[in-house]
Each structure stands twice: as structure tokens, then as C-alpha cells.
Amino acid sequence: MAASSGAPSSEKAATSEESYAETTPLRHPGATEDAPPKPKPARARKGKAEGQWALGYREPLNKNEQSKKDDHPLNVRARIENIYAHRGFDSIDPADLRGRFRWMGLYTQRAEGFPGTDTGHVDEELLDASHFMMRVRVDGGGLTTEQLRVVGEISQTFARDTADVTDRENIQMHWIRVEDVPEIWRRLEAVNLSTTEACGDCPRVVLGSPVAGISADEIIDGTPAIDEIVERFIGDKSLANLPRKFKTAISGQQDVAHEVNDVSFVGVDHPEHGPGFDLHVGGGLSTNPKLAVRLGAWVPLDEVADVWQAVVQVFRDYGYRRLRTRARIKFLIADWGPEKFRQVMEDEYLHRKLVDGPPPPDIAGTIDHVGIHDQVDGNHYVGVAPPAGRTSGSTLVGVAKAAEEAGSSRVRLTPYQKIVVLDVPSEKLDGLTAALDHLGLPARPTPWRRATMACTGLEFCKLAFVDTKNRAGELVEELDRRLADVQDALEHPVSIHLNGCPNSCARVQVADIGLKGQIVNDAEGNPAAGFQVHLGGGLGLDAGFGRKLRGHKVLSADLGDYVERVVRNYAEGHESGERFAQWVVRAEEAQLS
């Protein structure tokens, strides 16, 4: 049954996108210790000050900016290693705990026992557990089986066997004690992994195609550009104090949700110059969703890192630092437009003009790489779907072992919370798929398991109002039972994304069925876990943010009934070949509620 529309609003409590979706700091080779450049001469100030450094506004305008000015966040590593790991959680300075720790991939997790009704109404320090979520950045989604095994073993030893694959191609662990962090870093760095800048107001993990270099469908392999960006710039202090977080995607095909990243390089064939990348800037979701816009520029592979740096520098110097709610690059793009942004980037940072180029053709549907597929070299890759990204350290160790027994040493994570094993010979496929199935990771999952994603949710995230990971798993099992008879009528999979708050870490606005967590009123008027519904969002040909039914909210307990009802209406009422997003546009409201 639908929840009452008179429930208390939950959105005002989540004013930040910093949800699960922060002697020498860890640096990658080539990083510098340079401080941010001296400000340019102040220009004439127009209107309300937005805190833009390039216009002379250097004084911090909020507590987050003040904290970064007081001490560069990358310096916190030394205090973790030399002080906090020895003296324990209670010794941590609050400015480090709820701010600078994020630059080292650490968030305090939600204290046990606080329901969603407390979110936004309880002081943050009361919601802090004495344990951390740790995010391991996996740039390009690429891991060796050795790296995957090490992460799994760290999870088993230090994180109560927790491990989630995120839609940013990271792995997140929970229950981390500050006393164990230095040893965890030692083990990660021994296999060339890092948590540096996995969170915080900095360039976070760079998304890449899970099948880069092995797919016949890609226009160009972006891996060299990803590697160069990480080597040159991650750990560089001059780029690690941005107005807000900064998300990057680079792929030779459209499999990294490029429309909702801060900057994306999308593979495209230029009629004169050949394979390269189309440059997109300013995408992002949360409470003010915006699709990225094209700058109309074609970028060759060997120039991607320099152009990326220029985009980041524009954001650093001209981005809005007064209000956190307007500090993402999407707001600057919305105010400037793509033409001005490109001009400033070229004139003030690149000092040259970029080549004009064509857009990539839009595609229909989502490329999630689940199943068994051919590689260009005659081998195969196998993609599996952990339920809503939920896995464990033991499972990761098992995947590494299964991959190696199949002759593979490479695994990749995807922006859709999936795991892909590469380089599998034909004669090893049956053995690998059997081993993965034994781990609970079937290579041919049900459509509902394949197309369902969820954020961290109430279990660990301090911003969440509702449980998501566990509810997603339950919902998949419900739909497998309820909708088995209509599956053949669904020519296209229907994606379901669950998010615990309005920040949209699980990209609810671009799902077929997006569910945004809120506290709503049940039939007796009591507060209960529920979701606001977004229908018909998508990327590619269906790029858009979905249809919200006025005042329509669904109790978490009633999700099975609701989703079954809407999917059956779609199965019975759609035209041949019509995708869910297309059907939603013309469907009657009664069919959607």
C-alpha cells in the first residue's frame, strides 16, 4: 500500500552529498608538494560572493573551507600513523575525524541503534561509531587477483569480513579501527593499492571501462590516460583542495555513466583525426540533478591527462566555495554554459585551442558486462552480479582463487556494482562459472538481481533514513518469485536503484525505478521507512531524471507489491520494443501508482 503523502519530509536533513557516498602524506609517483598557486588579481566583484579563488575570495566562507585552510587534509595521514593509531579513537581531533580523514578514504560509520527517524535530528557526534568505513580506490576498476585477495584478507582480518563493490568501482569495508589503519595501508601499498583521495573535496577514483583493451565494441582504450592521471595528480596537494568532490569517467565505450560525472571522456571517432574522446563536463545527481554537457571538443589519448588537469584547475579556482550545496562543478557549468567554460579552460589553463569534434552516438540501455562474453583475443570474460554490490572478504578471496584456477590474473569492478573476470580460455569457462556459482555469484543471474543496485544505507551511513542493501536483496528474492511468469514479456531489463537518502549515491534519478529513502507515515500515521518513487529515468537514448508522481511514496514493507504492480502494467501495456522509460512517458498515472 502507498504511504501517506502527509509524512514529515526527510530531505532537509541531508544537505550534503558527502554520503557513503574523508611527516609526508601518501603520494603516487609524480605527485608534488606544491601548495595551491597564488591567487590571480581580483576582478570586479559582481553580485553575491561565491567564494571563488580566482576572483579574490580567499577567506573561508564555511567551516569546511576553514578546516582545509587550517591544515591541508593530506597532512592527516601522519597524525593517523603517529598519534591516533597509538592513542585510539577518543584522541582524534574532530576536525580530522569528520573532515580530513576523508582524504585518506575514511568515514565514521553510523553508530548502532539509531533509527532513520533520528537522521537529521541527532547531533553528528552522537551518530559516530568508533569504527570507520574504509574505501579502497580502484582506478579504472582494474585489480589483479593478488590485489583482490589482499583486499579480501584485509576484510577478513580487520573488517569483520565486510566488503561492498560500489558503483564507483571501489571496494568499501566497514568496522575498521583506527589502530589498524597503518597496517591496512601497509598491506594495500605492498600490492600498489591506495585509499588516498578516495573521499573528500578532491579528485576521487577515475571510472574506466571494465573491458578496456579486450572489447571489440570500444573505440579506444582509455587505460593509459587513467594511469597517467593517477600517477601525476593523485596525492598532488595543489589539486587536492577543491570546492567539493570531483568525479571522473574515461571509457572508449559508453559503460561508465558518463552523463552524471563531473568530467567524462567518451570514446568517439573523429572524421579527420580518428579515435579519441569527446569531452563532457558538469554532470551530477543528488538534490539538484544535472546531466553533463558537451564542450564540443575532441581530445586525443595523449592529451587527456592535461585536459583533465585543466578542467580540475578551472573548478578549483572558479568553483563556488561559499555554500556546500552549490559547490559542485555542475553549478558553475549551469551559470557559465559550456562555451564560456571551454574558453576559460583553453585561454587561462591550456593556453591553446582544442580540436572541435563530433558527439558519440547515443546507445539504448545499460552496458553492465554481466554474463559470458568474447574478448578480441579469443578468450572470454565473465561478469557476475553480487546482490546490490554486497559481498564479503571471503567471497573476494574465493573469486581470486577461482579466477586463477581458470588461468586468469585479472578482475575488474564495474560502475554497476558488478565483478568481471577477464582472460578466461574456452576450456576453463565451465569450471569458472561453477566455482563462481558456488560462491553465490551466478554468471547468469535473474534479471532482477542483475538490474538492482543500492547504496550503503542505514546500516552504516549517517545520512541514510532507510535500510537499502538488505532491503534490495529481499526485494530481488520477492520479484524472482512474483514476476517469473512475465519475464518473457520483458524485452528490456527494468533497473531498480535504492538509495537511503536524497544524495543519490545509487543514481536513483537515472534508473527505470528509482527509490529514494525517506521517513513517511504508515496507514496509522506512524513514521516508518519508505521511499519516494522516480520512474523512467535513464542514460543514453533515455537520458533524463525520471518522473516523480506528485506526493507518491511507498512504504519499504510494500515495495514488493508496488514494483510487481508497475512491472506487470508495463509488461501488459508496452508496445513491441518499447523500453520502460519510453512507456513511462505515455503511461497513465494510475498505471504507475
Side-chain angles (χ1 to χ4, degrees), residues 412-481:
R412 288 186 179 157
L413 311 178
T414 88
Y416 293 91
Q417 300 180 337
K418 310 298 189 279
I419 302 174
V420 181
V421 179
L422 308 186
D423 308 327
V424 184
S426 297
E427 64 272 17
K428 296 288 188 177
L429 276 174
D430 289 345
L432 175 65
T433 56
L436 293 173
D437 190 69
H438 182 71
L439 292 169
L441 298 172
R444 296 178 178 86
T446 67
W448 306 109
R449 179 160 174 175
R450 177 172 182 170
T452 299
M453 298 202 315
C455 72
T456 298
L458 185 70
E459 184 179 10
F460 296 115
C461 178
K462 293 182 294 182
L463 298 182
F465 298 101
V466 301
D467 174 74
T468 54
K469 288 287 188 187
N470 297 312
R471 187 65 187 98
E474 296 165 353
L475 180 62
V476 166
E477 292 180 1
E478 289 182 67
L479 298 179
D480 285 344
R481 294 193 306 269

Side-chain angles (χ1 to χ4, degrees), residues 42 110 119 184 207 212 218 276 282 323 350 411 453 519-520 572 576:
R110 190 185 190 100
T119 302
I184 294 172
L207 292 183
E218 73 176 355
L323 297 176
L350 284 175
V411 173
M453 298 202 315
I519 298 299
V520 302
E572 296 167 4
S576 178

Side-chain angles (χ1 to χ4, degrees), residues 143-153 190-191 193 400 404 409:
L143 291 164
T144 66
T145 50
E146 180 188 18
Q147 289 173 324
L148 185 66
R149 179 182 294 102
V150 166
V151 174
E153 291 171 347
V191 292
L193 289 175
E404 289 173 349
S409 63

